[in-house]
Amino acid sequence: MRRGKTKTVDSNYVYLDYNATARVRPEVIETVAQVMSEVGNASSVHEPGRRARVVVEDAREAIAALVGAEAENVIFTSGGTEADNLALKGVGDRRLMVSSVEHGAVLAPAMLRDAGAVILPVDGEGRVLLDGLEAALQAADKPVLVSVMLANNETGVIEPVARIAEVAHGGDALVHCDAVQAAGKIPLDFQELGVDLMSLSAHKIGGPQGVGALVVRDDTRLAAQIIGGGQERGRRSGTENLPGIVGFGVAAGLAAQNLTDSNRLAAMRDEMERRLLAVAGAIERFGARVDRLANTSCLTMPGVASETQVMALDLAGIEVSAGAACSSGKVARSHVLEAMGVPDESAECAIRVSLGWDTREGDIDRLVAAWTEIHHRVAQAA
Ligand code: PLP
């Protein structure tokens, strides 16, 4: 595997898989390295411990500021997956209602429940159908937790979460929002969104992998899922991941300062789609008719399997992914496209291109050139 260096050092390949993980910001690497050179457990009362505590709390403030929340309501976790699990399991015995396009980190814990979860359908663009939610809330046999993501990892489609929270609260439900892909890419306000719980992950915003957070509304009762030393005010035990948390804080600060970068990314993404459509008019773009993240494009190369495209692009030094990347590295059928009613023959030809802070126009030129070459080669062979 190639080492993750910043583009100035390693410009041989074009990284366009930011929704899988973003390039770590150089400022993050620098600060994390500095913090790691010092000793200190944030729970220790001596001087190095107190210094560690200060940096943890500064990071908590930066993350809270990114999402318009109070620092004391930010619980650090080992990532977005743990934050999602903590939300769904920590609320106790509620009827879970989750959208059909959620990440596995929400879908898997939802399915663990004895009677299963209510799966909320989406429309052809991948947006949760509010009528379906209202009907499900009315039919609920016990208190409910609704979980809907803010932006989809495969298509970038933005869900009407504020409206969902309004409807759900009307039915006395709690609302969790997986904002792992949205944070740092669109302006985000925990209060305005009106949700009770929100998951975040550092590595999607240029921070380190293996650290995230669950943001909780003040009066939300949450049972800790990892118990022991009582860290995070008893809500998540374990010595704080000091380097991870510090890096998360730096990345959150930079993301907050650079939210307008989305205009630049949207222009590049749209130009890329326009040029590819000029090569092959039969391309399908998923979620392109509704609000979606500026950095994300989920599109087909007609007649060419996703895996073939990903491998051919990789050979050309261009890194994209086929829908959701599984931990095994295998490409699974996309449950997101399936929920949107996309026929198998289209879904099987879809790739996800996701841009980020280090993406430049030259990267898009190289992707378009390689994609065009692969397309022509396949057309000739046919
Ligand atoms: N939720 C969404 C929407 C994601 O895209 C991801 C990661 O791909 C996760 C949760 C899991 O986050 P993490 O990788 O930090 O465990």
Side-chain angles (χ1 to χ4, degrees), residues 73-377:
N73 294 332
V74 173
I75 305 169
F76 286 118
T77 66
S78 64
T81 301
E82 189 192 325
D84 285 344
N85 272 260
L86 176 55
L88 268 71
K89 295 175 185 166
V91 293
D93 185 28
R94 286 179 172 263
R95 173 67 59 218
L96 299 180
M97 298 186 179
V98 306
S99 90
S100 51
V101 294
E102 293 305 303
H103 189 273
V106 165
L107 286 175
M111 294 310 170
L112 277 180
R113 295 294 168 96
D114 286 347
V118 175
I119 304 295
L120 303 168
V122 296
D123 64 18
E125 300 295 324
R127 288 168 311 179
V128 171
L129 291 162
L130 287 163
D131 291 353
L133 172 61
E134 269 162 342
L137 285 168
Q138 271 160 21
D141 51 351
K142 55 180 166 183
V144 171
L145 173 78
V146 176
S147 180
V148 177
M149 67 203 330
L150 191 49
N152 187 269
N153 43 304
E154 291 184 37
T155 59
V157 166
I158 296 171
E159 296 291 341
V161 173
R163 183 72 192 111
I164 286 167
E166 230 175 282
V167 171
H169 285 152
D172 267 345
L174 285 178
V175 181
H176 166 248
C177 176
D178 177 335
V180 163
Q181 291 292 345
K185 295 178 186 151
I186 55 174
L188 190 46
D189 191 308
F190 183 75
Q191 302 302 342
E192 267 178 30
L193 213 51
V195 297
D196 303 288
L197 302 140
M198 177 192 277
S199 301
L200 304 169
S201 176
H203 75 102
K204 309 291 185 180
I205 63 168
Q209 297 176 350
V211 59
L214 183 68
V215 184
V216 187
R217 186 169 295 286
D218 303 305
D219 50 0
T220 308
R221 288 182 42 197
L222 192 72
Q225 299 301 302
I226 300 183
I227 52 176
Q231 288 89 346
E232 297 298 284
R233 302 161 93 223
R235 296 176 295 188
R236 198 278 189 182
S237 286
T239 299
E240 293 87 345
N241 170 3
L242 189 64
I245 289 171
V246 167
F248 191 4
V250 174
L254 289 166
Q257 282 166 30
N258 289 289
L259 279 173
T260 52
D261 196 36
S262 61
N263 299 330
R264 185 181 72 89
L265 298 182
M268 283 193 288
R269 189 268 319 266
D270 293 348
E271 173 65 7
M272 172 195 82
E273 289 184 348
R274 198 190 55 72
R275 289 166 68 185
L276 296 183
L277 274 163
V279 176
I283 286 176
E284 284 177 86
R285 294 173 302 150
F286 301 114
R289 279 187 284 266
V290 294
D291 273 355
R292 59 177 170 153
L293 295 175
N295 79 316
T296 308
S297 178
C298 180
L299 80 178
T300 62
M301 183 186 290
V304 184
S306 318
E307 271 175 276
T308 309
Q309 294 179 58
V310 170
M311 284 187 290
L313 287 167
D314 184 31
L315 281 175
I318 294 152
E319 320 304 347
V320 301
S321 90
C326 296
S327 50
S328 61
K330 288 201 191 113
V331 179
R333 198 153 164 267
S334 163
H335 70 282
V336 174
L337 298 183
E338 190 180 355
M340 289 163 65
V342 175
D344 283 355
E345 49 291 8
S346 296
E348 280 159 11
C349 299
I351 58 164
R352 177 187 69 190
V353 181
S354 50
L355 290 56
W357 64 267
D358 200 34
T359 307
R360 298 286 172 266
E361 277 169 20
D363 298 332
I364 300 302
D365 291 343
R366 278 187 58 191
L367 171 92
V368 170
W371 193 99
T372 306
E373 218 268 309
I374 297 162
H375 180 264
H376 287 344
R377 219 187 308 149

